[in-house]
Structures are given as structure tokens and as C-alpha cells.
Amino acid sequence: MKKIKSILVMSCAVMAFVSCSKDDETNQTKPEANKITPEILAKISALSFNNKDVQVVKHTNPNGTTEDAFLIEGDIVMTKDQLNKMDLHGGITTEQYRTNNLVSGPRTIRIVGLSGTGASALSANMRSGLQAAVNRYNNLGLTLTFTLTFSSNTTGANIVVRRASGGAGGVAGFPTGGNPFNSVTLYSGMDTYSSAVNSHVAAHEIGHCIGLRHTDWFSRQSCGQNTNEGTAGVGAVHIPGTPTGYDATSLMRACFSGSDTGAFNSNDVTALNFLY
């Protein structure tokens, strides 16, 4: 999830990124599997993701290892293998994927927020925001129950939440095999935001970990864009009681603002109760 930025700032960031990319390509040859090919973009689109501005990134796993992954819609990471194995299984809803891209329940999901003195340890605002986000999920009475501890020991954790250097926002991924995605990264730019905004971003990324998609995946309207990719021939399955168009206050819209509080709106609650 990313902070809404001005067009000028975004342009500068793109220019800087292109410059760095050229240096990297000069110094090393990327493996074929890491390239963003037309086939990769077609697969992303076929899964009803927005395939604009896809990037190849290094994703850090909870055990400290790194692997190449695609960054989709600004805050969703998927390896090529995960992308190839994902299936819509008959359609999508406005916020989620079905079957193997949801978490099996009922169950308890253990979240560990990294603590200590290292660079990966969460800041005070991140910790406060994460606690508020977990409390909000538990207050819904879902079939998923979340526990949260702050520790440097991640043994037994289902989701590890860490801090990393970067702009405002976070990154997570989707469930596989009935299990939640195993990590959330909150970027250091969040240190300058209130605990309420940190709560919003933490809850949003946890939402991805349990299978929620961006409510404005089709347009990224919350990011100041208007890119309608359609459904690439795949019929959308609407959750009864939720809007079919842009939901301006949903926790799961693609970009956030400095006024967000981390609260679910009524449509988020309807969707979560439908799923879990």
C-alpha cells in the first residue's frame, strides 16, 4: 500500500528508478525468470490484477532469505511460481480470491511484530498501529482469530511484521495452501505518520495476507489514476451488500492518505464476514 503522491514527485521517482535500472542491467544479466515479459503481464491481467507498473523486487522471507518476486499494484508480492499456480476458480469478488487463495478456518493466526534494536524492529507508531489493527480484526468475531506478540523470536509465527527502509507504505502477499502469507513489511516512511495511519496500513497488509484484494484494482482511483483493465474475460462475482464500483472509504483501496484511521467501513465488514 502506498501513500498518494503528487504527479511531480512520482515523475522524479520514476526517473530515478529508470536510471538505477540501467546501471543494474549494465553490471549484471538478470535471469530469464525475473523478466517482466508480455506473458507475465498477460497472466497478471488474466487474474484480474492491474498489470500497470509491475516491478521485479527482492523479497525478504521471515527466515532472512531473499527471493525475486513481482511487485503488483504497488504492495502485493508474488513469485513467478505463485503467480503461475494462482487460479480464479470461477471468478473474483471485489475484495478476494476463492478456494486456495483464502485461509482455511477456523484457526488462530499468530502474528509476531519484530522488536529489538535492529533495523527490522518496528517503531513505536508501527507497534501501536499493528496492535490496533489486530484488535479490530478480532472485534469482528470472524472464524480467524489473531494473536500478536512483539519479539525478535519468530518461531511458530504465521505472519512476521518487520520494518524496512523505504517510503511510506507496506508490502504483503496472498495466501497459499490455506495458509496466510507469511510476512508484512512496513516501510520506514511510516515512522512520520500517526499510529492511526499505521493501523490503516497494517490492517490493509494483513488483509492481503488473508486473501483480500484491492477494492479499486480495476482503476487504482485512490492513487489518482483511472486505469480500467476490465476483467480480462473473467466474470466478477459480487459479494452481496458491497458496492460494485469505487469505494472511497474502504480499508482495501490501493493507496492511503494521512487522514486514514484504520477503521473498517461497513462494506469491509460485510466482505470479511462473508469470507470468514
mmCIF file with all atom_site columns, all heavy atoms in Angstrom, residues 96-123:
data_model
loop_
_atom_site.group_PDB
_atom_site.id
_atom_site.type_symbol
_atom_site.label_atom_id
_atom_site.label_alt_id
_atom_site.label_comp_id
_atom_site.label_asym_id
_atom_site.label_entity_id
_atom_site.label_seq_id
_atom_site.pdbx_PDB_ins_code
_atom_site.Cartn_x
_atom_site.Cartn_y
_atom_site.Cartn_z
_atom_site.occupancy
_atom_site.B_iso_or_equiv
_atom_site.pdbx_formal_charge
_atom_site.auth_seq_id
_atom_site.auth_comp_id
_atom_site.auth_asym_id
_atom_site.auth_atom_id
_atom_site.pdbx_PDB_model_num
ATOM 1   N N   . GLN A 1 96  ? -11.519 -10.329 -2.896 1.00 0.00 ? 96  GLN A N   1
ATOM 2   C CA  . GLN A 1 96  ? -10.845 -11.563 -2.525 1.00 0.00 ? 96  GLN A CA  1
ATOM 3   C C   . GLN A 1 96  ? -10.790 -12.575 -3.647 1.00 0.00 ? 96  GLN A C   1
ATOM 4   O O   . GLN A 1 96  ? -11.490 -12.460 -4.638 1.00 0.00 ? 96  GLN A O   1
ATOM 5   C CB  . GLN A 1 96  ? -11.546 -12.192 -1.321 1.00 0.00 ? 96  GLN A CB  1
ATOM 6   C CG  . GLN A 1 96  ? -13.027 -12.443 -1.520 1.00 0.00 ? 96  GLN A CG  1
ATOM 7   C CD  . GLN A 1 96  ? -13.331 -13.782 -2.161 1.00 0.00 ? 96  GLN A CD  1
ATOM 8   O OE1 . GLN A 1 96  ? -12.649 -14.755 -1.942 1.00 0.00 ? 96  GLN A OE1 1
ATOM 9   N NE2 . GLN A 1 96  ? -14.362 -13.837 -2.967 1.00 0.00 ? 96  GLN A NE2 1
ATOM 10  N N   . TYR A 1 97  ? -9.909  -13.545 -3.490 1.00 0.00 ? 97  TYR A N   1
ATOM 11  C CA  . TYR A 1 97  ? -9.856  -14.709 -4.365 1.00 0.00 ? 97  TYR A CA  1
ATOM 12  C C   . TYR A 1 97  ? -10.419 -15.906 -3.636 1.00 0.00 ? 97  TYR A C   1
ATOM 13  O O   . TYR A 1 97  ? -10.406 -15.973 -2.412 1.00 0.00 ? 97  TYR A O   1
ATOM 14  C CB  . TYR A 1 97  ? -8.410  -14.998 -4.785 1.00 0.00 ? 97  TYR A CB  1
ATOM 15  C CG  . TYR A 1 97  ? -7.954  -14.100 -5.883 1.00 0.00 ? 97  TYR A CG  1
ATOM 16  C CD1 . TYR A 1 97  ? -7.241  -12.946 -5.601 1.00 0.00 ? 97  TYR A CD1 1
ATOM 17  C CD2 . TYR A 1 97  ? -8.255  -14.382 -7.205 1.00 0.00 ? 97  TYR A CD2 1
ATOM 18  C CE1 . TYR A 1 97  ? -6.827  -12.107 -6.612 1.00 0.00 ? 97  TYR A CE1 1
ATOM 19  C CE2 . TYR A 1 97  ? -7.853  -13.550 -8.221 1.00 0.00 ? 97  TYR A CE2 1
ATOM 20  C CZ  . TYR A 1 97  ? -7.136  -12.415 -7.923 1.00 0.00 ? 97  TYR A CZ  1
ATOM 21  O OH  . TYR A 1 97  ? -6.735  -11.588 -8.922 1.00 0.00 ? 97  TYR A OH  1
ATOM 22  N N   . ARG A 1 98  ? -10.862 -16.892 -4.402 1.00 0.00 ? 98  ARG A N   1
ATOM 23  C CA  . ARG A 1 98  ? -11.528 -18.040 -3.797 1.00 0.00 ? 98  ARG A CA  1
ATOM 24  C C   . ARG A 1 98  ? -10.574 -19.200 -3.515 1.00 0.00 ? 98  ARG A C   1
ATOM 25  O O   . ARG A 1 98  ? -9.426  -19.200 -3.924 1.00 0.00 ? 98  ARG A O   1
ATOM 26  C CB  . ARG A 1 98  ? -12.632 -18.529 -4.741 1.00 0.00 ? 98  ARG A CB  1
ATOM 27  C CG  . ARG A 1 98  ? -13.817 -17.582 -4.808 1.00 0.00 ? 98  ARG A CG  1
ATOM 28  C CD  . ARG A 1 98  ? -14.866 -18.163 -5.713 1.00 0.00 ? 98  ARG A CD  1
ATOM 29  N NE  . ARG A 1 98  ? -16.114 -17.419 -5.606 1.00 0.00 ? 98  ARG A NE  1
ATOM 30  C CZ  . ARG A 1 98  ? -17.200 -17.730 -6.287 1.00 0.00 ? 98  ARG A CZ  1
ATOM 31  N NH1 . ARG A 1 98  ? -17.209 -18.750 -7.112 1.00 0.00 ? 98  ARG A NH1 1
ATOM 32  N NH2 . ARG A 1 98  ? -18.295 -17.015 -6.141 1.00 0.00 ? 98  ARG A NH2 1
ATOM 33  N N   . THR A 1 99  ? -11.114 -20.215 -2.894 1.00 0.00 ? 99  THR A N   1
ATOM 34  C CA  . THR A 1 99  ? -10.510 -21.523 -2.604 1.00 0.00 ? 99  THR A CA  1
ATOM 35  C C   . THR A 1 99  ? -9.082  -21.410 -2.099 1.00 0.00 ? 99  THR A C   1
ATOM 36  O O   . THR A 1 99  ? -8.863  -20.895 -1.022 1.00 0.00 ? 99  THR A O   1
ATOM 37  C CB  . THR A 1 99  ? -10.606 -22.460 -3.825 1.00 0.00 ? 99  THR A CB  1
ATOM 38  O OG1 . THR A 1 99  ? -9.967  -21.866 -4.935 1.00 0.00 ? 99  THR A OG1 1
ATOM 39  C CG2 . THR A 1 99  ? -12.058 -22.712 -4.172 1.00 0.00 ? 99  THR A CG2 1
ATOM 40  N N   . ASN A 1 100 ? -8.078  -21.857 -2.908 1.00 0.00 ? 100 ASN A N   1
ATOM 41  C CA  . ASN A 1 100 ? -6.728  -21.958 -2.365 1.00 0.00 ? 100 ASN A CA  1
ATOM 42  C C   . ASN A 1 100 ? -6.082  -20.609 -2.122 1.00 0.00 ? 100 ASN A C   1
ATOM 43  O O   . ASN A 1 100 ? -4.948  -20.537 -1.662 1.00 0.00 ? 100 ASN A O   1
ATOM 44  C CB  . ASN A 1 100 ? -5.835  -22.802 -3.284 1.00 0.00 ? 100 ASN A CB  1
ATOM 45  C CG  . ASN A 1 100 ? -5.567  -22.117 -4.607 1.00 0.00 ? 100 ASN A CG  1
ATOM 46  O OD1 . ASN A 1 100 ? -6.406  -21.396 -5.124 1.00 0.00 ? 100 ASN A OD1 1
ATOM 47  N ND2 . ASN A 1 100 ? -4.397  -22.361 -5.171 1.00 0.00 ? 100 ASN A ND2 1
ATOM 48  N N   . ASN A 1 101 ? -6.780  -19.524 -2.405 1.00 0.00 ? 101 ASN A N   1
ATOM 49  C CA  . ASN A 1 101 ? -6.249  -18.198 -2.116 1.00 0.00 ? 101 ASN A CA  1
ATOM 50  C C   . ASN A 1 101 ? -6.972  -17.544 -0.947 1.00 0.00 ? 101 ASN A C   1
ATOM 51  O O   . ASN A 1 101 ? -6.970  -16.329 -0.805 1.00 0.00 ? 101 ASN A O   1
ATOM 52  C CB  . ASN A 1 101 ? -6.298  -17.312 -3.363 1.00 0.00 ? 101 ASN A CB  1
ATOM 53  C CG  . ASN A 1 101 ? -5.460  -17.885 -4.484 1.00 0.00 ? 101 ASN A CG  1
ATOM 54  O OD1 . ASN A 1 101 ? -5.982  -18.264 -5.512 1.00 0.00 ? 101 ASN A OD1 1
ATOM 55  N ND2 . ASN A 1 101 ? -4.164  -17.991 -4.265 1.00 0.00 ? 101 ASN A ND2 1
ATOM 56  N N   . LEU A 1 102 ? -7.589  -18.373 -0.125 1.00 0.00 ? 102 LEU A N   1
ATOM 57  C CA  . LEU A 1 102 ? -8.123  -17.933 1.161  1.00 0.00 ? 102 LEU A CA  1
ATOM 58  C C   . LEU A 1 102 ? -7.480  -18.774 2.256  1.00 0.00 ? 102 LEU A C   1
ATOM 59  O O   . LEU A 1 102 ? -6.870  -19.807 1.988  1.00 0.00 ? 102 LEU A O   1
ATOM 60  C CB  . LEU A 1 102 ? -9.649  -18.091 1.203  1.00 0.00 ? 102 LEU A CB  1
ATOM 61  C CG  . LEU A 1 102 ? -10.466 -17.132 0.337  1.00 0.00 ? 102 LEU A CG  1
ATOM 62  C CD1 . LEU A 1 102 ? -11.947 -17.474 0.421  1.00 0.00 ? 102 LEU A CD1 1
ATOM 63  C CD2 . LEU A 1 102 ? -10.232 -15.691 0.755  1.00 0.00 ? 102 LEU A CD2 1
ATOM 64  N N   . VAL A 1 103 ? -7.616  -18.336 3.488  1.00 0.00 ? 103 VAL A N   1
ATOM 65  C CA  . VAL A 1 103 ? -7.051  -19.062 4.622  1.00 0.00 ? 103 VAL A CA  1
ATOM 66  C C   . VAL A 1 103 ? -8.075  -20.065 5.142  1.00 0.00 ? 103 VAL A C   1
ATOM 67  O O   . VAL A 1 103 ? -9.253  -19.733 5.310  1.00 0.00 ? 103 VAL A O   1
ATOM 68  C CB  . VAL A 1 103 ? -6.654  -18.089 5.750  1.00 0.00 ? 103 VAL A CB  1
ATOM 69  C CG1 . VAL A 1 103 ? -6.143  -18.850 6.965  1.00 0.00 ? 103 VAL A CG1 1
ATOM 70  C CG2 . VAL A 1 103 ? -5.598  -17.110 5.249  1.00 0.00 ? 103 VAL A CG2 1
ATOM 71  N N   . SER A 1 104 ? -7.640  -21.285 5.379  1.00 0.00 ? 104 SER A N   1
ATOM 72  C CA  . SER A 1 104 ? -8.531  -22.311 5.923  1.00 0.00 ? 104 SER A CA  1
ATOM 73  C C   . SER A 1 104 ? -8.862  -21.983 7.377  1.00 0.00 ? 104 SER A C   1
ATOM 74  O O   . SER A 1 104 ? -7.986  -21.600 8.157  1.00 0.00 ? 104 SER A O   1
ATOM 75  C CB  . SER A 1 104 ? -7.865  -23.687 5.852  1.00 0.00 ? 104 SER A CB  1
ATOM 76  O OG  . SER A 1 104 ? -7.538  -24.021 4.520  1.00 0.00 ? 104 SER A OG  1
ATOM 77  N N   . GLY A 1 105 ? -10.110 -22.114 7.726  1.00 0.00 ? 105 GLY A N   1
ATOM 78  C CA  . GLY A 1 105 ? -10.521 -21.809 9.093  1.00 0.00 ? 105 GLY A CA  1
ATOM 79  C C   . GLY A 1 105 ? -11.585 -22.787 9.552  1.00 0.00 ? 105 GLY A C   1
ATOM 80  O O   . GLY A 1 105 ? -12.052 -23.629 8.774  1.00 0.00 ? 105 GLY A O   1
ATOM 81  N N   . PRO A 1 106 ? -11.986 -22.686 10.814 1.00 0.00 ? 106 PRO A N   1
ATOM 82  C CA  . PRO A 1 106 ? -11.496 -21.712 11.803 1.00 0.00 ? 106 PRO A CA  1
ATOM 83  C C   . PRO A 1 106 ? -10.081 -22.034 12.281 1.00 0.00 ? 106 PRO A C   1
ATOM 84  O O   . PRO A 1 106 ? -9.689  -23.193 12.331 1.00 0.00 ? 106 PRO A O   1
ATOM 85  C CB  . PRO A 1 106 ? -12.506 -21.844 12.942 1.00 0.00 ? 106 PRO A CB  1
ATOM 86  C CG  . PRO A 1 106 ? -13.047 -23.230 12.811 1.00 0.00 ? 106 PRO A CG  1
ATOM 87  C CD  . PRO A 1 106 ? -13.056 -23.545 11.350 1.00 0.00 ? 106 PRO A CD  1
ATOM 88  N N   . ARG A 1 107 ? -9.356  -20.996 12.628 1.00 0.00 ? 107 ARG A N   1
ATOM 89  C CA  . ARG A 1 107 ? -7.989  -21.177 13.114 1.00 0.00 ? 107 ARG A CA  1
ATOM 90  C C   . ARG A 1 107 ? -7.505  -19.904 13.785 1.00 0.00 ? 107 ARG A C   1
ATOM 91  O O   . ARG A 1 107 ? -8.090  -18.830 13.634 1.00 0.00 ? 107 ARG A O   1
ATOM 92  C CB  . ARG A 1 107 ? -7.044  -21.543 11.973 1.00 0.00 ? 107 ARG A CB  1
ATOM 93  C CG  . ARG A 1 107 ? -6.862  -20.442 10.945 1.00 0.00 ? 107 ARG A CG  1
ATOM 94  C CD  . ARG A 1 107 ? -5.895  -20.836 9.843  1.00 0.00 ? 107 ARG A CD  1
ATOM 95  N NE  . ARG A 1 107 ? -4.540  -21.011 10.336 1.00 0.00 ? 107 ARG A NE  1
ATOM 96  C CZ  . ARG A 1 107 ? -3.517  -21.363 9.548  1.00 0.00 ? 107 ARG A CZ  1
ATOM 97  N NH1 . ARG A 1 107 ? -3.723  -21.605 8.260  1.00 0.00 ? 107 ARG A NH1 1
ATOM 98  N NH2 . ARG A 1 107 ? -2.311  -21.490 10.045 1.00 0.00 ? 107 ARG A NH2 1
ATOM 99  N N   . THR A 1 108 ? -6.410  -20.045 14.523 1.00 0.00 ? 108 THR A N   1
ATOM 100 C CA  . THR A 1 108 ? -5.750  -18.902 15.140 1.00 0.00 ? 108 THR A CA  1
ATOM 101 C C   . THR A 1 108 ? -4.493  -18.584 14.343 1.00 0.00 ? 108 THR A C   1
ATOM 102 O O   . THR A 1 108 ? -3.698  -19.482 14.035 1.00 0.00 ? 108 THR A O   1
ATOM 103 C CB  . THR A 1 108 ? -5.379  -19.196 16.605 1.00 0.00 ? 108 THR A CB  1
ATOM 104 O OG1 . THR A 1 108 ? -6.579  -19.408 17.353 1.00 0.00 ? 108 THR A OG1 1
ATOM 105 C CG2 . THR A 1 108 ? -4.604  -18.036 17.209 1.00 0.00 ? 108 THR A CG2 1
ATOM 106 N N   . ILE A 1 109 ? -4.323  -17.331 13.999 1.00 0.00 ? 109 ILE A N   1
ATOM 107 C CA  . ILE A 1 109 ? -3.155  -16.877 13.247 1.00 0.00 ? 109 ILE A CA  1
ATOM 108 C C   . ILE A 1 109 ? -2.251  -16.096 14.191 1.00 0.00 ? 109 ILE A C   1
ATOM 109 O O   . ILE A 1 109 ? -2.668  -15.094 14.782 1.00 0.00 ? 109 ILE A O   1
ATOM 110 C CB  . ILE A 1 109 ? -3.574  -15.998 12.056 1.00 0.00 ? 109 ILE A CB  1
ATOM 111 C CG1 . ILE A 1 109 ? -4.394  -16.830 11.062 1.00 0.00 ? 109 ILE A CG1 1
ATOM 112 C CG2 . ILE A 1 109 ? -2.353  -15.394 11.373 1.00 0.00 ? 109 ILE A CG2 1
ATOM 113 C CD1 . ILE A 1 109 ? -4.973  -16.023 9.925  1.00 0.00 ? 109 ILE A CD1 1
ATOM 114 N N   . ARG A 1 110 ? -1.025  -16.578 14.342 1.00 0.00 ? 110 ARG A N   1
ATOM 115 C CA  . ARG A 1 110 ? -0.074  -15.928 15.247 1.00 0.00 ? 110 ARG A CA  1
ATOM 116 C C   . ARG A 1 110 ? 0.753   -14.905 14.475 1.00 0.00 ? 110 ARG A C   1
ATOM 117 O O   . ARG A 1 110 ? 1.446   -15.245 13.512 1.00 0.00 ? 110 ARG A O   1
ATOM 118 C CB  . ARG A 1 110 ? 0.853   -16.958 15.891 1.00 0.00 ? 110 ARG A CB  1
ATOM 119 C CG  . ARG A 1 110 ? 1.789   -16.310 16.904 1.00 0.00 ? 110 ARG A CG  1
ATOM 120 C CD  . ARG A 1 110 ? 2.836   -17.265 17.434 1.00 0.00 ? 110 ARG A CD  1
ATOM 121 N NE  . ARG A 1 110 ? 3.757   -16.545 18.313 1.00 0.00 ? 110 ARG A NE  1
ATOM 122 C CZ  . ARG A 1 110 ? 5.002   -16.917 18.551 1.00 0.00 ? 110 ARG A CZ  1
ATOM 123 N NH1 . ARG A 1 110 ? 5.488   -18.008 17.980 1.00 0.00 ? 110 ARG A NH1 1
ATOM 124 N NH2 . ARG A 1 110 ? 5.771   -16.212 19.357 1.00 0.00 ? 110 ARG A NH2 1
ATOM 125 N N   . ILE A 1 111 ? 0.653   -13.647 14.898 1.00 0.00 ? 111 ILE A N   1
ATOM 126 C CA  . ILE A 1 111 ? 1.420   -12.560 14.295 1.00 0.00 ? 111 ILE A CA  1
ATOM 127 C C   . ILE A 1 111 ? 2.527   -12.153 15.257 1.00 0.00 ? 111 ILE A C   1
ATOM 128 O O   . ILE A 1 111 ? 2.288   -11.967 16.451 1.00 0.00 ? 111 ILE A O   1
ATOM 129 C CB  . ILE A 1 111 ? 0.523   -11.344 13.988 1.00 0.00 ? 111 ILE A CB  1
ATOM 130 C CG1 . ILE A 1 111 ? -0.594  -11.739 13.010 1.00 0.00 ? 111 ILE A CG1 1
ATOM 131 C CG2 . ILE A 1 111 ? 1.347   -10.195 13.418 1.00 0.00 ? 111 ILE A CG2 1
ATOM 132 C CD1 . ILE A 1 111 ? -1.574  -10.618 12.728 1.00 0.00 ? 111 ILE A CD1 1
ATOM 133 N N   . VAL A 1 112 ? 3.740   -12.015 14.739 1.00 0.00 ? 112 VAL A N   1
ATOM 134 C CA  . VAL A 1 112 ? 4.864   -11.528 15.537 1.00 0.00 ? 112 VAL A CA  1
ATOM 135 C C   . VAL A 1 112 ? 5.366   -10.235 14.909 1.00 0.00 ? 112 VAL A C   1
ATOM 136 O O   . VAL A 1 112 ? 5.751   -10.208 13.735 1.00 0.00 ? 112 VAL A O   1
ATOM 137 C CB  . VAL A 1 112 ? 6.012   -12.550 15.610 1.00 0.00 ? 112 VAL A CB  1
ATOM 138 C CG1 . VAL A 1 112 ? 7.230   -11.938 16.300 1.00 0.00 ? 112 VAL A CG1 1
ATOM 139 C CG2 . VAL A 1 112 ? 5.568   -13.803 16.350 1.00 0.00 ? 112 VAL A CG2 1
ATOM 140 N N   . GLY A 1 113 ? 5.335   -9.150  15.688 1.00 0.00 ? 113 GLY A N   1
ATOM 141 C CA  . GLY A 1 113 ? 5.940   -7.892  15.266 1.00 0.00 ? 113 GLY A CA  1
ATOM 142 C C   . GLY A 1 113 ? 7.361   -7.849  15.777 1.00 0.00 ? 113 GLY A C   1
ATOM 143 O O   . GLY A 1 113 ? 7.599   -8.031  16.982 1.00 0.00 ? 113 GLY A O   1
ATOM 144 N N   . LEU A 1 114 ? 8.311   -7.647  14.883 1.00 0.00 ? 114 LEU A N   1
ATOM 145 C CA  . LEU A 1 114 ? 9.713   -7.703  15.291 1.00 0.00 ? 114 LEU A CA  1
ATOM 146 C C   . LEU A 1 114 ? 10.056  -6.561  16.241 1.00 0.00 ? 114 LEU A C   1
ATOM 147 O O   . LEU A 1 114 ? 9.686   -5.406  16.024 1.00 0.00 ? 114 LEU A O   1
ATOM 148 C CB  . LEU A 1 114 ? 10.620  -7.652  14.066 1.00 0.00 ? 114 LEU A CB  1
ATOM 149 C CG  . LEU A 1 114 ? 10.639  -8.916  13.189 1.00 0.00 ? 114 LEU A CG  1
ATOM 150 C CD1 . LEU A 1 114 ? 11.630  -8.760  12.046 1.00 0.00 ? 114 LEU A CD1 1
ATOM 151 C CD2 . LEU A 1 114 ? 10.980  -10.152 14.013 1.00 0.00 ? 114 LEU A CD2 1
ATOM 152 N N   . SER A 1 115 ? 10.763  -6.907  17.305 1.00 0.00 ? 115 SER A N   1
ATOM 153 C CA  . SER A 1 115 ? 11.198  -5.927  18.294 1.00 0.00 ? 115 SER A CA  1
ATOM 154 C C   . SER A 1 115 ? 12.706  -6.025  18.458 1.00 0.00 ? 115 SER A C   1
ATOM 155 O O   . SER A 1 115 ? 13.354  -6.899  17.884 1.00 0.00 ? 115 SER A O   1
ATOM 156 C CB  . SER A 1 115 ? 10.499  -6.166  19.635 1.00 0.00 ? 115 SER A CB  1
ATOM 157 O OG  . SER A 1 115 ? 10.859  -7.437  20.162 1.00 0.00 ? 115 SER A OG  1
ATOM 158 N N   . GLY A 1 116 ? 13.262  -5.127  19.248 1.00 0.00 ? 116 GLY A N   1
ATOM 159 C CA  . GLY A 1 116 ? 14.702  -5.129  19.471 1.00 0.00 ? 116 GLY A CA  1
ATOM 160 C C   . GLY A 1 116 ? 15.323  -3.836  18.994 1.00 0.00 ? 116 GLY A C   1
ATOM 161 O O   . GLY A 1 116 ? 14.656  -2.804  18.880 1.00 0.00 ? 116 GLY A O   1
ATOM 162 N N   . THR A 1 117 ? 16.609  -3.894  18.673 1.00 0.00 ? 117 THR A N   1
ATOM 163 C CA  . THR A 1 117 ? 17.338  -2.689  18.283 1.00 0.00 ? 117 THR A CA  1
ATOM 164 C C   . THR A 1 117 ? 17.772  -2.697  16.827 1.00 0.00 ? 117 THR A C   1
ATOM 165 O O   . THR A 1 117 ? 18.368  -1.739  16.349 1.00 0.00 ? 117 THR A O   1
ATOM 166 C CB  . THR A 1 117 ? 18.585  -2.519  19.166 1.00 0.00 ? 117 THR A CB  1
ATOM 167 O OG1 . THR A 1 117 ? 19.413  -3.687  19.033 1.00 0.00 ? 117 THR A OG1 1
ATOM 168 C CG2 . THR A 1 117 ? 18.201  -2.331  20.623 1.00 0.00 ? 117 THR A CG2 1
ATOM 169 N N   . GLY A 1 118 ? 17.498  -3.765  16.105 1.00 0.00 ? 118 GLY A N   1
ATOM 170 C CA  . GLY A 1 118 ? 17.918  -3.868  14.711 1.00 0.00 ? 118 GLY A CA  1
ATOM 171 C C   . GLY A 1 118 ? 17.064  -3.028  13.780 1.00 0.00 ? 118 GLY A C   1
ATOM 172 O O   . GLY A 1 118 ? 16.013  -2.494  14.160 1.00 0.00 ? 118 GLY A O   1
ATOM 173 N N   . ALA A 1 119 ? 17.505  -2.931  12.527 1.00 0.00 ? 119 ALA A N   1
ATOM 174 C CA  . ALA A 1 119 ? 16.806  -2.123  11.535 1.00 0.00 ? 119 ALA A CA  1
ATOM 175 C C   . ALA A 1 119 ? 15.425  -2.679  11.203 1.00 0.00 ? 119 ALA A C   1
ATOM 176 O O   . ALA A 1 119 ? 14.553  -1.952  10.720 1.00 0.00 ? 119 ALA A O   1
ATOM 177 C CB  . ALA A 1 119 ? 17.647  -2.033  10.261 1.00 0.00 ? 119 ALA A CB  1
ATOM 178 N N   . SER A 1 120 ? 15.202  -3.970  11.465 1.00 0.00 ? 120 SER A N   1
ATOM 179 C CA  . SER A 1 120 ? 13.913  -4.590  11.157 1.00 0.00 ? 120 SER A CA  1
ATOM 180 C C   . SER A 1 120 ? 12.884  -4.424  12.268 1.00 0.00 ? 120 SER A C   1
ATOM 181 O O   . SER A 1 120 ? 11.719  -4.783  12.092 1.00 0.00 ? 120 SER A O   1
ATOM 182 C CB  . SER A 1 120 ? 14.103  -6.086  10.872 1.00 0.00 ? 120 SER A CB  1
ATOM 183 O OG  . SER A 1 120 ? 14.924  -6.292  9.744  1.00 0.00 ? 120 SER A OG  1
ATOM 184 N N   . ALA A 1 121 ? 13.315  -3.901  13.411 1.00 0.00 ? 121 ALA A N   1
ATOM 185 C CA  . ALA A 1 121 ? 12.403  -3.740  14.546 1.00 0.00 ? 121 ALA A CA  1
ATOM 186 C C   . ALA A 1 121 ? 11.389  -2.637  14.259 1.00 0.00 ? 121 ALA A C   1
ATOM 187 O O   . ALA A 1 121 ? 11.724  -1.586  13.697 1.00 0.00 ? 121 ALA A O   1
ATOM 188 C CB  . ALA A 1 121 ? 13.188  -3.418  15.807 1.00 0.00 ? 121 ALA A CB  1
ATOM 189 N N   . LEU A 1 122 ? 10.148  -2.867  14.648 1.00 0.00 ? 122 LEU A N   1
ATOM 190 C CA  . LEU A 1 122 ? 9.090   -1.899  14.408 1.00 0.00 ? 122 LEU A CA  1
ATOM 191 C C   . LEU A 1 122 ? 9.263   -0.668  15.292 1.00 0.00 ? 122 LEU A C   1
ATOM 192 O O   . LEU A 1 122 ? 9.681   -0.763  16.447 1.00 0.00 ? 122 LEU A O   1
ATOM 193 C CB  . LEU A 1 122 ? 7.725   -2.535  14.682 1.00 0.00 ? 122 LEU A CB  1
ATOM 194 C CG  . LEU A 1 122 ? 7.354   -3.771  13.852 1.00 0.00 ? 122 LEU A CG  1
ATOM 195 C CD1 . LEU A 1 122 ? 5.963   -4.264  14.249 1.00 0.00 ? 122 LEU A CD1 1
ATOM 196 C CD2 . LEU A 1 122 ? 7.407   -3.476  12.359 1.00 0.00 ? 122 LEU A CD2 1
ATOM 197 N N   . SER A 1 123 ? 8.910   0.488   14.741 1.00 0.00 ? 123 SER A N   1
ATOM 198 C CA  . SER A 1 123 ? 8.934   1.722   15.523 1.00 0.00 ? 123 SER A CA  1
ATOM 199 C C   . SER A 1 123 ? 7.744   1.735   16.476 1.00 0.00 ? 123 SER A C   1
ATOM 200 O O   . SER A 1 123 ? 6.830   0.899   16.387 1.00 0.00 ? 123 SER A O   1
ATOM 201 C CB  . SER A 1 123 ? 8.866   2.930   14.591 1.00 0.00 ? 123 SER A CB  1
ATOM 202 O OG  . SER A 1 123 ? 7.607   2.969   13.931 1.00 0.00 ? 123 SER A OG  1
#
